[in-house]
mmCIF file with all atom_site columns, all heavy atoms in Angstrom:
data_model
loop_
_atom_site.group_PDB
_atom_site.id
_atom_site.type_symbol
_atom_site.label_atom_id
_atom_site.label_alt_id
_atom_site.label_comp_id
_atom_site.label_asym_id
_atom_site.label_entity_id
_atom_site.label_seq_id
_atom_site.pdbx_PDB_ins_code
_atom_site.Cartn_x
_atom_site.Cartn_y
_atom_site.Cartn_z
_atom_site.occupancy
_atom_site.B_iso_or_equiv
_atom_site.pdbx_formal_charge
_atom_site.auth_seq_id
_atom_site.auth_comp_id
_atom_site.auth_asym_id
_atom_site.auth_atom_id
_atom_site.pdbx_PDB_model_num
ATOM 1   N N   . VAL N 1 1  ? 213.137 -8.586  135.989 1.00 94.00 ? 134 VAL N N   1
ATOM 2   C CA  . VAL N 1 1  ? 213.819 -7.292  136.138 1.00 94.00 ? 134 VAL N CA  1
ATOM 3   C C   . VAL N 1 1  ? 213.806 -6.846  137.595 1.00 94.00 ? 134 VAL N C   1
ATOM 4   O O   . VAL N 1 1  ? 214.829 -6.413  138.138 1.00 94.00 ? 134 VAL N O   1
ATOM 5   C CB  . VAL N 1 1  ? 213.180 -6.220  135.229 1.00 94.00 ? 134 VAL N CB  1
ATOM 6   C CG1 . VAL N 1 1  ? 213.683 -4.829  135.576 1.00 94.00 ? 134 VAL N CG1 1
ATOM 7   C CG2 . VAL N 1 1  ? 213.456 -6.537  133.765 1.00 94.00 ? 134 VAL N CG2 1
ATOM 8   N N   . LEU N 1 2  ? 212.658 -6.963  138.251 1.00 93.00 ? 135 LEU N N   1
ATOM 9   C CA  . LEU N 1 2  ? 212.556 -6.512  139.633 1.00 93.00 ? 135 LEU N CA  1
ATOM 10  C C   . LEU N 1 2  ? 213.341 -7.401  140.596 1.00 93.00 ? 135 LEU N C   1
ATOM 11  O O   . LEU N 1 2  ? 213.825 -6.932  141.633 1.00 93.00 ? 135 LEU N O   1
ATOM 12  C CB  . LEU N 1 2  ? 211.091 -6.408  140.047 1.00 93.00 ? 135 LEU N CB  1
ATOM 13  C CG  . LEU N 1 2  ? 210.344 -5.280  139.323 1.00 93.00 ? 135 LEU N CG  1
ATOM 14  C CD1 . LEU N 1 2  ? 208.848 -5.421  139.515 1.00 93.00 ? 135 LEU N CD1 1
ATOM 15  C CD2 . LEU N 1 2  ? 210.836 -3.931  139.776 1.00 93.00 ? 135 LEU N CD2 1
ATOM 16  N N   . ALA N 1 3  ? 213.520 -8.665  140.257 1.00 94.00 ? 136 ALA N N   1
ATOM 17  C CA  . ALA N 1 3  ? 214.358 -9.540  141.079 1.00 94.00 ? 136 ALA N CA  1
ATOM 18  C C   . ALA N 1 3  ? 215.830 -9.126  140.974 1.00 94.00 ? 136 ALA N C   1
ATOM 19  O O   . ALA N 1 3  ? 216.561 -9.130  141.962 1.00 94.00 ? 136 ALA N O   1
ATOM 20  C CB  . ALA N 1 3  ? 214.181 -10.994 140.651 1.00 94.00 ? 136 ALA N CB  1
ATOM 21  N N   . ARG N 1 4  ? 216.229 -8.742  139.783 1.00 95.00 ? 137 ARG N N   1
ATOM 22  C CA  . ARG N 1 4  ? 217.618 -8.323  139.567 1.00 95.00 ? 137 ARG N CA  1
ATOM 23  C C   . ARG N 1 4  ? 217.880 -6.900  140.070 1.00 95.00 ? 137 ARG N C   1
ATOM 24  O O   . ARG N 1 4  ? 218.998 -6.571  140.459 1.00 95.00 ? 137 ARG N O   1
ATOM 25  C CB  . ARG N 1 4  ? 217.968 -8.378  138.081 1.00 95.00 ? 137 ARG N CB  1
ATOM 26  C CG  . ARG N 1 4  ? 218.094 -9.759  137.544 1.00 95.00 ? 137 ARG N CG  1
ATOM 27  C CD  . ARG N 1 4  ? 218.526 -9.724  136.102 1.00 95.00 ? 137 ARG N CD  1
ATOM 28  N NE  . ARG N 1 4  ? 218.534 -11.048 135.538 1.00 95.00 ? 137 ARG N NE  1
ATOM 29  C CZ  . ARG N 1 4  ? 219.045 -11.323 134.348 1.00 95.00 ? 137 ARG N CZ  1
ATOM 30  N NH1 . ARG N 1 4  ? 219.576 -10.360 133.618 1.00 95.00 ? 137 ARG N NH1 1
ATOM 31  N NH2 . ARG N 1 4  ? 219.017 -12.551 133.888 1.00 95.00 ? 137 ARG N NH2 1
ATOM 32  N N   . HIS N 1 5  ? 216.846 -6.066  139.978 1.00 94.00 ? 138 HIS N N   1
ATOM 33  C CA  . HIS N 1 5  ? 216.993 -4.645  140.327 1.00 94.00 ? 138 HIS N CA  1
ATOM 34  C C   . HIS N 1 5  ? 215.853 -4.223  141.247 1.00 94.00 ? 138 HIS N C   1
ATOM 35  O O   . HIS N 1 5  ? 214.886 -3.597  140.811 1.00 94.00 ? 138 HIS N O   1
ATOM 36  C CB  . HIS N 1 5  ? 216.989 -3.789  139.056 1.00 94.00 ? 138 HIS N CB  1
ATOM 37  C CG  . HIS N 1 5  ? 217.988 -4.227  138.037 1.00 94.00 ? 138 HIS N CG  1
ATOM 38  N ND1 . HIS N 1 5  ? 219.330 -3.936  138.140 1.00 94.00 ? 138 HIS N ND1 1
ATOM 39  C CD2 . HIS N 1 5  ? 217.844 -4.966  136.914 1.00 94.00 ? 138 HIS N CD2 1
ATOM 40  C CE1 . HIS N 1 5  ? 219.968 -4.461  137.115 1.00 94.00 ? 138 HIS N CE1 1
ATOM 41  N NE2 . HIS N 1 5  ? 219.093 -5.095  136.365 1.00 94.00 ? 138 HIS N NE2 1
ATOM 42  N N   . PRO N 1 6  ? 215.956 -4.560  142.533 1.00 94.00 ? 139 PRO N N   1
ATOM 43  C CA  . PRO N 1 6  ? 214.875 -4.197  143.469 1.00 94.00 ? 139 PRO N CA  1
ATOM 44  C C   . PRO N 1 6  ? 214.685 -2.683  143.533 1.00 94.00 ? 139 PRO N C   1
ATOM 45  O O   . PRO N 1 6  ? 215.619 -1.910  143.350 1.00 94.00 ? 139 PRO N O   1
ATOM 46  C CB  . PRO N 1 6  ? 215.354 -4.742  144.811 1.00 94.00 ? 139 PRO N CB  1
ATOM 47  C CG  . PRO N 1 6  ? 216.609 -5.475  144.563 1.00 94.00 ? 139 PRO N CG  1
ATOM 48  C CD  . PRO N 1 6  ? 217.055 -5.238  143.162 1.00 94.00 ? 139 PRO N CD  1
ATOM 49  N N   . ARG N 1 7  ? 213.481 -2.281  143.820 1.00 93.00 ? 140 ARG N N   1
ATOM 50  C CA  . ARG N 1 7  ? 213.130 -0.864  143.801 1.00 93.00 ? 140 ARG N CA  1
ATOM 51  C C   . ARG N 1 7  ? 213.706 -0.098  144.990 1.00 93.00 ? 140 ARG N C   1
ATOM 52  O O   . ARG N 1 7  ? 214.012 1.074   144.885 1.00 93.00 ? 140 ARG N O   1
ATOM 53  C CB  . ARG N 1 7  ? 211.617 -0.728  143.718 1.00 93.00 ? 140 ARG N CB  1
ATOM 54  C CG  . ARG N 1 7  ? 211.130 -1.329  142.377 1.00 93.00 ? 140 ARG N CG  1
ATOM 55  C CD  . ARG N 1 7  ? 209.654 -1.279  142.204 1.00 93.00 ? 140 ARG N CD  1
ATOM 56  N NE  . ARG N 1 7  ? 209.083 0.025   142.366 1.00 93.00 ? 140 ARG N NE  1
ATOM 57  C CZ  . ARG N 1 7  ? 209.173 1.028   141.497 1.00 93.00 ? 140 ARG N CZ  1
ATOM 58  N NH1 . ARG N 1 7  ? 209.832 0.869   140.379 1.00 93.00 ? 140 ARG N NH1 1
ATOM 59  N NH2 . ARG N 1 7  ? 208.604 2.188   141.755 1.00 93.00 ? 140 ARG N NH2 1
ATOM 60  N N   . LEU N 1 8  ? 213.863 -0.731  146.134 1.00 93.00 ? 141 LEU N N   1
ATOM 61  C CA  . LEU N 1 8  ? 214.569 -0.164  147.286 1.00 93.00 ? 141 LEU N CA  1
ATOM 62  C C   . LEU N 1 8  ? 214.136 1.263   147.637 1.00 93.00 ? 141 LEU N C   1
ATOM 63  O O   . LEU N 1 8  ? 214.967 2.145   147.871 1.00 93.00 ? 141 LEU N O   1
ATOM 64  C CB  . LEU N 1 8  ? 216.090 -0.210  147.047 1.00 93.00 ? 141 LEU N CB  1
ATOM 65  C CG  . LEU N 1 8  ? 216.686 -1.589  146.765 1.00 93.00 ? 141 LEU N CG  1
ATOM 66  C CD1 . LEU N 1 8  ? 218.158 -1.480  146.423 1.00 93.00 ? 141 LEU N CD1 1
ATOM 67  C CD2 . LEU N 1 8  ? 216.450 -2.526  147.939 1.00 93.00 ? 141 LEU N CD2 1
ATOM 68  N N   . GLY N 1 9  ? 212.836 1.494   147.652 1.00 92.00 ? 142 GLY N N   1
ATOM 69  C CA  . GLY N 1 9  ? 212.332 2.809   148.065 1.00 92.00 ? 142 GLY N CA  1
ATOM 70  C C   . GLY N 1 9  ? 212.405 3.884   146.996 1.00 92.00 ? 142 GLY N C   1
ATOM 71  O O   . GLY N 1 9  ? 212.338 5.078   147.307 1.00 92.00 ? 142 GLY N O   1
ATOM 72  N N   . LEU N 1 10 ? 212.514 3.468   145.741 1.00 94.00 ? 143 LEU N N   1
ATOM 73  C CA  . LEU N 1 10 ? 212.614 4.438   144.647 1.00 94.00 ? 143 LEU N CA  1
ATOM 74  C C   . LEU N 1 10 ? 211.468 5.440   144.655 1.00 94.00 ? 143 LEU N C   1
ATOM 75  O O   . LEU N 1 10 ? 211.684 6.643   144.512 1.00 94.00 ? 143 LEU N O   1
ATOM 76  C CB  . LEU N 1 10 ? 212.666 3.725   143.290 1.00 94.00 ? 143 LEU N CB  1
ATOM 77  C CG  . LEU N 1 10 ? 212.593 4.638   142.060 1.00 94.00 ? 143 LEU N CG  1
ATOM 78  C CD1 . LEU N 1 10 ? 213.817 5.525   141.985 1.00 94.00 ? 143 LEU N CD1 1
ATOM 79  C CD2 . LEU N 1 10 ? 212.439 3.815   140.803 1.00 94.00 ? 143 LEU N CD2 1
ATOM 80  N N   . GLY N 1 11 ? 210.251 4.958   144.824 1.00 94.00 ? 144 GLY N N   1
ATOM 81  C CA  . GLY N 1 11 ? 209.094 5.848   144.789 1.00 94.00 ? 144 GLY N CA  1
ATOM 82  C C   . GLY N 1 11 ? 209.159 6.921   145.868 1.00 94.00 ? 144 GLY N C   1
ATOM 83  O O   . GLY N 1 11 ? 208.933 8.103   145.591 1.00 94.00 ? 144 GLY N O   1
ATOM 84  N N   . GLU N 1 12 ? 209.491 6.519   147.079 1.00 94.00 ? 145 GLU N N   1
ATOM 85  C CA  . GLU N 1 12 ? 209.576 7.466   148.179 1.00 94.00 ? 145 GLU N CA  1
ATOM 86  C C   . GLU N 1 12 ? 210.680 8.490   147.941 1.00 94.00 ? 145 GLU N C   1
ATOM 87  O O   . GLU N 1 12 ? 210.520 9.682   148.207 1.00 94.00 ? 145 GLU N O   1
ATOM 88  C CB  . GLU N 1 12 ? 209.819 6.742   149.512 1.00 94.00 ? 145 GLU N CB  1
ATOM 89  C CG  . GLU N 1 12 ? 208.673 5.864   149.943 1.00 94.00 ? 145 GLU N CG  1
ATOM 90  C CD  . GLU N 1 12 ? 208.720 4.460   149.332 1.00 94.00 ? 145 GLU N CD  1
ATOM 91  O OE1 . GLU N 1 12 ? 209.688 4.135   148.599 1.00 94.00 ? 145 GLU N OE1 1
ATOM 92  O OE2 . GLU N 1 12 ? 207.779 3.694   149.575 1.00 94.00 ? 145 GLU N OE2 1
ATOM 93  N N   . GLU N 1 13 ? 211.811 8.020   147.434 1.00 96.00 ? 146 GLU N N   1
ATOM 94  C CA  . GLU N 1 13 ? 212.931 8.921   147.160 1.00 96.00 ? 146 GLU N CA  1
ATOM 95  C C   . GLU N 1 13 ? 212.560 9.917   146.060 1.00 96.00 ? 146 GLU N C   1
ATOM 96  O O   . GLU N 1 13 ? 212.850 11.110  146.157 1.00 96.00 ? 146 GLU N O   1
ATOM 97  C CB  . GLU N 1 13 ? 214.156 8.107   146.750 1.00 96.00 ? 146 GLU N CB  1
ATOM 98  C CG  . GLU N 1 13 ? 215.393 8.933   146.551 1.00 96.00 ? 146 GLU N CG  1
ATOM 99  C CD  . GLU N 1 13 ? 216.628 8.101   146.229 1.00 96.00 ? 146 GLU N CD  1
ATOM 100 O OE1 . GLU N 1 13 ? 216.622 6.884   146.461 1.00 96.00 ? 146 GLU N OE1 1
ATOM 101 O OE2 . GLU N 1 13 ? 217.603 8.693   145.734 1.00 96.00 ? 146 GLU N OE2 1
ATOM 102 N N   . PHE N 1 14 ? 211.931 9.425   145.010 1.00 94.00 ? 147 PHE N N   1
ATOM 103 C CA  . PHE N 1 14 ? 211.526 10.289  143.905 1.00 94.00 ? 147 PHE N CA  1
ATOM 104 C C   . PHE N 1 14 ? 210.502 11.319  144.388 1.00 94.00 ? 147 PHE N C   1
ATOM 105 O O   . PHE N 1 14 ? 210.605 12.506  144.054 1.00 94.00 ? 147 PHE N O   1
ATOM 106 C CB  . PHE N 1 14 ? 210.940 9.431   142.773 1.00 94.00 ? 147 PHE N CB  1
ATOM 107 C CG  . PHE N 1 14 ? 210.768 10.187  141.495 1.00 94.00 ? 147 PHE N CG  1
ATOM 108 C CD1 . PHE N 1 14 ? 211.793 10.258  140.572 1.00 94.00 ? 147 PHE N CD1 1
ATOM 109 C CD2 . PHE N 1 14 ? 209.571 10.818  141.204 1.00 94.00 ? 147 PHE N CD2 1
ATOM 110 C CE1 . PHE N 1 14 ? 211.630 10.961  139.381 1.00 94.00 ? 147 PHE N CE1 1
ATOM 111 C CE2 . PHE N 1 14 ? 209.403 11.514  140.018 1.00 94.00 ? 147 PHE N CE2 1
ATOM 112 C CZ  . PHE N 1 14 ? 210.438 11.587  139.103 1.00 94.00 ? 147 PHE N CZ  1
ATOM 113 N N   . LEU N 1 15 ? 209.542 10.877  145.188 1.00 96.00 ? 148 LEU N N   1
ATOM 114 C CA  . LEU N 1 15 ? 208.522 11.787  145.700 1.00 96.00 ? 148 LEU N CA  1
ATOM 115 C C   . LEU N 1 15 ? 209.147 12.867  146.578 1.00 96.00 ? 148 LEU N C   1
ATOM 116 O O   . LEU N 1 15 ? 208.756 14.034  146.500 1.00 96.00 ? 148 LEU N O   1
ATOM 117 C CB  . LEU N 1 15 ? 207.448 11.021  146.465 1.00 96.00 ? 148 LEU N CB  1
ATOM 118 C CG  . LEU N 1 15 ? 206.292 11.863  146.997 1.00 96.00 ? 148 LEU N CG  1
ATOM 119 C CD1 . LEU N 1 15 ? 205.600 12.637  145.878 1.00 96.00 ? 148 LEU N CD1 1
ATOM 120 C CD2 . LEU N 1 15 ? 205.309 10.959  147.725 1.00 96.00 ? 148 LEU N CD2 1
ATOM 121 N N   . ALA N 1 16 ? 210.118 12.508  147.383 1.00 97.00 ? 149 ALA N N   1
ATOM 122 C CA  . ALA N 1 16 ? 210.793 13.504  148.219 1.00 97.00 ? 149 ALA N CA  1
ATOM 123 C C   . ALA N 1 16 ? 211.458 14.569  147.350 1.00 97.00 ? 149 ALA N C   1
ATOM 124 O O   . ALA N 1 16 ? 211.399 15.765  147.664 1.00 97.00 ? 149 ALA N O   1
ATOM 125 C CB  . ALA N 1 16 ? 211.818 12.830  149.124 1.00 97.00 ? 149 ALA N CB  1
ATOM 126 N N   . CYS N 1 17 ? 212.066 14.150  146.251 1.00 96.00 ? 150 CYS N N   1
ATOM 127 C CA  . CYS N 1 17 ? 212.682 15.109  145.323 1.00 96.00 ? 150 CYS N CA  1
ATOM 128 C C   . CYS N 1 17 ? 211.634 16.004  144.685 1.00 96.00 ? 150 CYS N C   1
ATOM 129 O O   . CYS N 1 17 ? 211.835 17.215  144.546 1.00 96.00 ? 150 CYS N O   1
ATOM 130 C CB  . CYS N 1 17 ? 213.471 14.367  144.240 1.00 96.00 ? 150 CYS N CB  1
ATOM 131 S SG  . CYS N 1 17 ? 214.937 13.524  144.846 1.00 96.00 ? 150 CYS N SG  1
ATOM 132 N N   . PHE N 1 18 ? 210.503 15.417  144.279 1.00 94.00 ? 151 PHE N N   1
ATOM 133 C CA  . PHE N 1 18 ? 209.419 16.206  143.684 1.00 94.00 ? 151 PHE N CA  1
ATOM 134 C C   . PHE N 1 18 ? 208.894 17.230  144.683 1.00 94.00 ? 151 PHE N C   1
ATOM 135 O O   . PHE N 1 18 ? 208.677 18.386  144.344 1.00 94.00 ? 151 PHE N O   1
ATOM 136 C CB  . PHE N 1 18 ? 208.288 15.286  143.228 1.00 94.00 ? 151 PHE N CB  1
ATOM 137 C CG  . PHE N 1 18 ? 208.193 15.138  141.737 1.00 94.00 ? 151 PHE N CG  1
ATOM 138 C CD1 . PHE N 1 18 ? 209.330 14.875  140.981 1.00 94.00 ? 151 PHE N CD1 1
ATOM 139 C CD2 . PHE N 1 18 ? 206.994 15.244  141.078 1.00 94.00 ? 151 PHE N CD2 1
ATOM 140 C CE1 . PHE N 1 18 ? 209.253 14.726  139.621 1.00 94.00 ? 151 PHE N CE1 1
ATOM 141 C CE2 . PHE N 1 18 ? 206.897 15.097  139.702 1.00 94.00 ? 151 PHE N CE2 1
ATOM 142 C CZ  . PHE N 1 18 ? 208.034 14.841  138.971 1.00 94.00 ? 151 PHE N CZ  1
ATOM 143 N N   . ARG N 1 19 ? 208.686 16.795  145.921 1.00 97.00 ? 152 ARG N N   1
ATOM 144 C CA  . ARG N 1 19 ? 208.168 17.707  146.949 1.00 97.00 ? 152 ARG N CA  1
ATOM 145 C C   . ARG N 1 19 ? 209.155 18.829  147.227 1.00 97.00 ? 152 ARG N C   1
ATOM 146 O O   . ARG N 1 19 ? 208.758 19.980  147.403 1.00 97.00 ? 152 ARG N O   1
ATOM 147 C CB  . ARG N 1 19 ? 207.837 16.937  148.217 1.00 97.00 ? 152 ARG N CB  1
ATOM 148 C CG  . ARG N 1 19 ? 206.571 16.124  148.082 1.00 97.00 ? 152 ARG N CG  1
ATOM 149 C CD  . ARG N 1 19 ? 206.261 15.350  149.341 1.00 97.00 ? 152 ARG N CD  1
ATOM 150 N NE  . ARG N 1 19 ? 204.934 14.768  149.290 1.00 97.00 ? 152 ARG N NE  1
ATOM 151 C CZ  . ARG N 1 19 ? 204.593 13.665  149.913 1.00 97.00 ? 152 ARG N CZ  1
ATOM 152 N NH1 . ARG N 1 19 ? 205.478 13.011  150.664 1.00 97.00 ? 152 ARG N NH1 1
ATOM 153 N NH2 . ARG N 1 19 ? 203.359 13.203  149.811 1.00 97.00 ? 152 ARG N NH2 1
ATOM 154 N N   . ASP N 1 20 ? 210.432 18.495  147.263 1.00 98.00 ? 153 ASP N N   1
ATOM 155 C CA  . ASP N 1 20 ? 211.459 19.510  147.486 1.00 98.00 ? 153 ASP N CA  1
ATOM 156 C C   . ASP N 1 20 ? 211.440 20.546  146.363 1.00 98.00 ? 153 ASP N C   1
ATOM 157 O O   . ASP N 1 20 ? 211.453 21.752  146.616 1.00 98.00 ? 153 ASP N O   1
ATOM 158 C CB  . ASP N 1 20 ? 212.836 18.852  147.585 1.00 98.00 ? 153 ASP N CB  1
ATOM 159 C CG  . ASP N 1 20 ? 213.944 19.869  147.734 1.00 98.00 ? 153 ASP N CG  1
ATOM 160 O OD1 . ASP N 1 20 ? 213.960 20.594  148.763 1.00 98.00 ? 153 ASP N OD1 1
ATOM 161 O OD2 . ASP N 1 20 ? 214.796 19.962  146.828 1.00 98.00 ? 153 ASP N OD2 1
ATOM 162 N N   . GLN N 1 21 ? 211.397 20.072  145.130 1.00 97.00 ? 154 GLN N N   1
ATOM 163 C CA  . GLN N 1 21 ? 211.377 21.010  144.000 1.00 97.00 ? 154 GLN N CA  1
ATOM 164 C C   . GLN N 1 21 ? 210.087 21.813  143.999 1.00 97.00 ? 154 GLN N C   1
ATOM 165 O O   . GLN N 1 21 ? 210.098 23.007  143.716 1.00 97.00 ? 154 GLN N O   1
ATOM 166 C CB  . GLN N 1 21 ? 211.541 20.279  142.671 1.00 97.00 ? 154 GLN N CB  1
ATOM 167 C CG  . GLN N 1 21 ? 211.598 21.247  141.505 1.00 97.00 ? 154 GLN N CG  1
ATOM 168 C CD  . GLN N 1 21 ? 211.927 20.583  140.189 1.00 97.00 ? 154 GLN N CD  1
ATOM 169 O OE1 . GLN N 1 21 ? 212.278 19.415  140.136 1.00 97.00 ? 154 GLN N OE1 1
ATOM 170 N NE2 . GLN N 1 21 ? 211.820 21.329  139.115 1.00 97.00 ? 154 GLN N NE2 1
ATOM 171 N N   . ALA N 1 22 ? 208.979 21.184  144.315 1.00 97.00 ? 155 ALA N N   1
ATOM 172 C CA  . ALA N 1 22 ? 207.693 21.882  144.342 1.00 97.00 ? 155 ALA N CA  1
ATOM 173 C C   . ALA N 1 22 ? 207.700 23.015  145.364 1.00 97.00 ? 155 ALA N C   1
ATOM 174 O O   . ALA N 1 22 ? 207.145 24.090  145.123 1.00 97.00 ? 155 ALA N O   1
ATOM 175 C CB  . ALA N 1 22 ? 206.566 20.903  144.648 1.00 97.00 ? 155 ALA N CB  1
ATOM 176 N N   . GLU N 1 23 ? 208.349 22.760  146.494 1.00 97.00 ? 156 GLU N N   1
ATOM 177 C CA  . GLU N 1 23 ? 208.428 23.785  147.534 1.00 97.00 ? 156 GLU N CA  1
ATOM 178 C C   . GLU N 1 23 ? 209.292 24.963  147.084 1.00 97.00 ? 156 GLU N C   1
ATOM 179 O O   . GLU N 1 23 ? 208.950 26.116  147.316 1.00 97.00 ? 156 GLU N O   1
ATOM 180 C CB  . GLU N 1 23 ? 209.010 23.161  148.803 1.00 97.00 ? 156 GLU N CB  1
ATOM 181 C CG  . GLU N 1 23 ? 208.833 24.028  150.026 1.00 97.00 ? 156 GLU N CG  1
ATOM 182 C CD  . GLU N 1 23 ? 209.228 23.294  151.281 1.00 97.00 ? 156 GLU N CD  1
ATOM 183 O OE1 . GLU N 1 23 ? 208.685 22.192  151.519 1.00 97.00 ? 156 GLU N OE1 1
ATOM 184 O OE2 . GLU N 1 23 ? 210.095 23.815  152.007 1.00 97.00 ? 156 GLU N OE2 1
ATOM 185 N N   . ARG N 1 24 ? 210.392 24.658  146.421 1.00 98.00 ? 157 ARG N N   1
ATOM 186 C CA  . ARG N 1 24 ? 211.300 25.705  145.957 1.00 98.00 ? 157 ARG N CA  1
ATOM 187 C C   . ARG N 1 24 ? 210.786 26.418  144.718 1.00 98.00 ? 157 ARG N C   1
ATOM 188 O O   . ARG N 1 24 ? 211.084 27.593  144.508 1.00 98.00 ? 157 ARG N O   1
ATOM 189 C CB  . ARG N 1 24 ? 212.684 25.119  145.654 1.00 98.00 ? 157 ARG N CB  1
ATOM 190 C CG  . ARG N 1 24 ? 213.453 24.673  146.879 1.00 98.00 ? 157 ARG N CG  1
ATOM 191 C CD  . ARG N 1 24 ? 214.837 24.126  146.560 1.00 98.00 ? 157 ARG N CD  1
ATOM 192 N NE  . ARG N 1 24 ? 214.776 22.837  145.854 1.00 98.00 ? 157 ARG N NE  1
ATOM 193 C CZ  . ARG N 1 24 ? 215.058 22.639  144.574 1.00 98.00 ? 157 ARG N CZ  1
ATOM 194 N NH1 . ARG N 1 24 ? 215.458 23.636  143.817 1.00 98.00 ? 157 ARG N NH1 1
ATOM 195 N NH2 . ARG N 1 24 ? 214.964 21.437  144.029 1.00 98.00 ? 157 ARG N NH2 1
ATOM 196 N N   . LYS N 1 25 ? 210.024 25.700  143.880 1.00 98.00 ? 158 LYS N N   1
ATOM 197 C CA  . LYS N 1 25 ? 209.560 26.240  142.598 1.00 98.00 ? 158 LYS N CA  1
ATOM 198 C C   . LYS N 1 25 ? 208.073 25.944  142.431 1.00 98.00 ? 158 LYS N C   1
ATOM 199 O O   . LYS N 1 25 ? 207.684 25.000  141.753 1.00 98.00 ? 158 LYS N O   1
ATOM 200 C CB  . LYS N 1 25 ? 210.340 25.608  141.440 1.00 98.00 ? 158 LYS N CB  1
ATOM 201 C CG  . LYS N 1 25 ? 211.832 25.827  141.507 1.00 98.00 ? 158 LYS N CG  1
ATOM 202 C CD  . LYS N 1 25 ? 212.518 25.082  140.385 1.00 98.00 ? 158 LYS N CD  1
ATOM 203 C CE  . LYS N 1 25 ? 214.018 25.234  140.460 1.00 98.00 ? 158 LYS N CE  1
ATOM 204 N NZ  . LYS N 1 25 ? 214.681 24.506  139.371 1.00 98.00 ? 158 LYS N NZ  1
ATOM 205 N N   . PRO N 1 26 ? 207.209 26.741  143.050 1.00 97.00 ? 159 PRO N N   1
ATOM 206 C CA  . PRO N 1 26 ? 205.775 26.447  143.046 1.00 97.00 ? 159 PRO N CA  1
ATOM 207 C C   . PRO N 1 26 ? 205.112 26.483  141.668 1.00 97.00 ? 159 PRO N C   1
ATOM 208 O O   . PRO N 1 26 ? 204.013 25.962  141.506 1.00 97.00 ? 159 PRO N O   1
ATOM 209 C CB  . PRO N 1 26 ? 205.191 27.504  143.967 1.00 97.00 ? 159 PRO N CB  1
ATOM 210 C CG  . PRO N 1 26 ? 206.251 28.500  144.194 1.00 97.00 ? 159 PRO N CG  1
ATOM 211 C CD  . PRO N 1 26 ? 207.557 27.889  143.857 1.00 97.00 ? 159 PRO N CD  1
ATOM 212 N N   . ASP N 1 27 ? 205.784 27.038  140.667 1.00 97.00 ? 160 ASP N N   1
ATOM 213 C CA  . ASP N 1 27 ? 205.212 27.071  139.315 1.00 97.00 ? 160 ASP N CA  1
ATOM 214 C C   . ASP N 1 27 ? 205.784 25.985  138.409 1.00 97.00 ? 160 ASP N C   1
ATOM 215 O O   . ASP N 1 27 ? 205.507 25.958  137.210 1.00 97.00 ? 160 ASP N O   1
ATOM 216 C CB  . ASP N 1 27 ? 205.442 28.445  138.678 1.00 97.00 ? 160 ASP N CB  1
ATOM 217 C CG  . ASP N 1 27 ? 204.693 29.547  139.405 1.00 97.00 ? 160 ASP N CG  1
ATOM 218 O OD1 . ASP N 1 27 ? 203.586 29.274  139.917 1.00 97.00 ? 160 ASP N OD1 1
ATOM 219 O OD2 . ASP N 1 27 ? 205.224 30.673  139.475 1.00 97.00 ? 160 ASP N OD2 1
ATOM 220 N N   . SER N 1 28 ? 206.552 25.061  138.965 1.00 96.00 ? 161 SER N N   1
ATOM 221 C CA  . SER N 1 28 ? 207.206 24.029  138.165 1.00 96.00 ? 161 SER N CA  1
ATOM 222 C C   . SER N 1 28 ? 206.268 22.862  137.844 1.00 96.00 ? 161 SER N C   1
ATOM 223 O O   . SER N 1 28 ? 205.199 22.712  138.439 1.00 96.00 ? 161 SER N O   1
ATOM 224 C CB  . SER N 1 28 ? 208.425 23.484  138.922 1.00 96.00 ? 161 SER N CB  1
ATOM 225 O OG  . SER N 1 28 ? 208.005 22.800  140.085 1.00 96.00 ? 161 SER N OG  1
#
């Protein structure tokens, strides 16, 4: 699966989204 669909920074991108939402919505 990972050979066919490389992660390509998925974790970093997801974390950036989480941090952005956390900053905007501290109770989320």
Side-chain angles (χ1 to χ4, degrees):
V134 168
L135 292 167
R137 289 184 185 189
H138 307 282
R140 296 179 54 74
L141 303 175
L143 173 65
E145 294 85 3
E146 185 176 343
F147 192 89
L148 183 57
C150 292
F151 253 47
R152 286 179 170 151
D153 177 63
Q154 183 173 351
E156 194 171 305
R157 290 181 291 108
K158 301 176 182 180
D160 295 326
S161 66

